[in-house]
Amino acid sequence: MDSDGGAPRANTLESRAAAWDEAERAKFMARYKREEVKIQAWENHERRKAELEMKKIEMKAEQMKARAQEKLASKLATARRVAEEKRAVAEATLNEGAARTSEKADYIRRTGHLPSSFFSFRIPSLCG
């Protein structure tokens, strides 16, 4: 049949063309799959890098928060200490005033004379 119609030869060429086409497609598919594996590996690497960076940032944020809490606690302790000191000074002033008042009252009881400071506040009202 080769000599008169060429049908078997066309059939052979068709099968060779189909085989070549399939081989080329397989090469392209294998190349694509290799590339896909590389892309997947790169993507996983980038994801791990990003996750590590996020963990670092979270740790840094936690450290900053801890430092801020320590600083706040220190400020509160300082404020509490200063308030206690101010209360102590105010109480001491109160006690000194009460002691002076008691001494003046004792002086008045002993001598019968009022202290001169008593009159310094009363004189303007008596004159006016």
Side-chain angles (χ1 to χ4, degrees), residues 23-53:
E24 285 298 309
R25 288 178 191 265
K27 280 197 284 187
F28 286 130
M29 187 57 79
R31 192 175 300 138
Y32 170 79
K33 286 183 179 182
R34 283 194 305 270
E35 192 66 25
E36 179 63 28
V37 167
K38 287 178 187 177
I39 291 169
Q40 189 66 40
W42 176 84
E43 183 182 16
N44 291 340
H45 175 72
E46 291 299 310
R47 186 180 302 123
R48 283 192 301 273
K49 250 177 33 177
E51 287 170 356
L52 285 173
E53 188 176 345

Side-chain angles (χ1 to χ4, degrees), residues 48-64:
R48 283 192 301 273
K49 250 177 33 177
E51 287 170 356
L52 285 173
E53 188 176 345
M54 184 59 114
K55 284 182 184 178
K56 277 184 185 179
I57 291 170
E58 286 173 354
M59 286 175 50
K60 191 180 273 190
E62 287 176 21
Q63 289 172 347
M64 288 173 64

